[in-house]
Amino acid sequence: MNPYGGEDRIWLGPEGGQYSLYFAKGTSFDFANWFVPAAFDTQPFQIVARSPKAATFESRFTLTNYSGTEFHVGIRREVRLLDAPEAWKDLGLSADSRLRVVAYESDNRLTNEGSNAWRPETGLLSIWILGMFAPAPSVTIVAPIRPGPDSSFGRKVTADYFGQVPPDRLKVTERAVFLKADGKYRSKIGLSPRRSRGFLGSYDADNHVLTIVQFDQPAGVTDYVNSLWKLQDHPYGGDVANAYNDGPPSPGAKPMGPFLEMESSSPAAALAPGKSIGHWHRTIHIIGPMPELDRAARGVLGQSLAEIQAAFAP
């Protein structure tokens, strides 16, 4: 992986499992065998349209998954800056002139460019958007979740992507999951479509920056590719939202960044030839007076700034 891509990077899923795009057939699911396909790592996209506030990119390429299935893929994506009213309108909050906002979104489309349908039994793809941000000891990731019993909603969080996240780095309540994002311990969490509320967030307590990530989550859809690094019994029982804290992959090794990530995925794409699936992902950075910033955190994430800071307080 080349760890460049900014705050809205496009990959395709799944990462792990028998339909993985990131491991060659027959290899073990270890960091030494992991790779990112060049089509969305080092190869350029073509710019097909641009304006002062937006740019549209396209690419076409072929991928082969862990099971040997070949995919002919087309991607079209528009990245667009948002003004403050646009940023606030879908958050369920009133615009507040005391808060300053930097916001943008990507509208992404994945198309089956081949002559064969993409079928679950040979593997499906998904759009996967990963926002990379600067980690720090003062940064905490917040993932609001739907409350309710595991029997109805499933487990609150997937926390064993790279080994179980230790309790001093992960806190789970009835309404939120908190992940320490200092860039010093490699860890990842995920939310299922039944638990996710369509938002992720982070708060940098030293710099007083609240970041909100909002994404498309179609109602009632539960088939998402499973990216756990192992052969899977339920390859479409995956997560719609993920958060990642970078760190050394093994003792003494260097981290990839370090960085933190807030991520979202489209449903698994069972596409006939010529058909497409879309997914949008929005990022909003907010700064301003603490009372107003706290009100925004409560309104979107359901957590006060004090509660976020207290998650990993000494």
Side-chain angles (χ1 to χ4, degrees), residues 120-169:
E121 57 268 29
T122 52
L124 300 176
L125 308 182
S126 67
I127 300 168
W128 185 11
I129 304 298
L130 308 92
M132 300 171 68
F133 308 94
S138 61
V139 177
T140 300
I141 293 172
V142 187
I145 59 174
R146 299 184 187 279
D150 290 4
S151 58
S152 300
F153 293 89
R155 60 181 172 176
K156 293 181 176 66
V157 62
T158 302
D160 57 350
Y161 275 91
F162 307 126
Q164 187 67 35
V165 183
D168 62 335
R169 292 183 164 273

Side-chain angles (χ1 to χ4, degrees), residues 116-268:
N116 297 317
W118 297 352
R119 298 179 291 114
E121 57 268 29
T122 52
L124 300 176
L125 308 182
S126 67
I127 300 168
W128 185 11
I129 304 298
L130 308 92
M132 300 171 68
F133 308 94
S138 61
V139 177
T140 300
I141 293 172
V142 187
I145 59 174
R146 299 184 187 279
D150 290 4
S151 58
S152 300
F153 293 89
R155 60 181 172 176
K156 293 181 176 66
V157 62
T158 302
D160 57 350
Y161 275 91
F162 307 126
Q164 187 67 35
V165 183
D168 62 335
R169 292 183 164 273
L170 178 69
K171 180 179 178 181
V172 183
T173 71
E174 278 299 308
R175 295 184 178 276
V177 179
F178 302 85
L179 180 68
K180 191 172 182 63
D182 57 359
K184 296 181 179 179
Y185 187 93
R186 186 167 178 256
S187 48
K188 182 175 179 178
I189 61 171
L191 303 182
S192 72
R194 289 187 174 91
R195 288 291 187 183
S196 169
R197 301 186 71 95
F199 292 96
L200 296 170
S202 69
Y203 180 58
D204 182 340
D206 283 351
N207 295 298
H208 306 298
V209 179
L210 177 66
T211 298
I212 303 295
V213 167
Q214 182 183 13
F215 48 88
D216 184 19
Q217 185 176 326
V221 178
T222 57
D223 285 350
Y224 285 79
V225 299
N226 192 332
S227 284
L228 288 167
W229 286 23
K230 62 182 181 181
L231 296 176
Q232 298 155 3
D233 295 329
H234 305 289
Y236 303 108
D239 296 319
V240 61
N242 296 95
Y244 173 78
N245 180 53
D246 195 29
S250 60
K254 293 182 178 180
M256 287 186 288
F259 49 84
L260 67 91
E261 290 176 326
M262 291 187 282
E263 316 167 2
S264 71
S265 295
S266 75

Side-chain angles (χ1 to χ4, degrees), residues 88 93 99 210 212 286 291-303:
W88 289 114
L93 302 175
L99 294 174
L210 177 66
I212 303 295
I286 310 170
E292 287 70 31
L293 201 61
D294 183 72
R295 192 174 299 115
R298 290 173 182 268
V300 179
L301 302 176
Q303 306 294 314

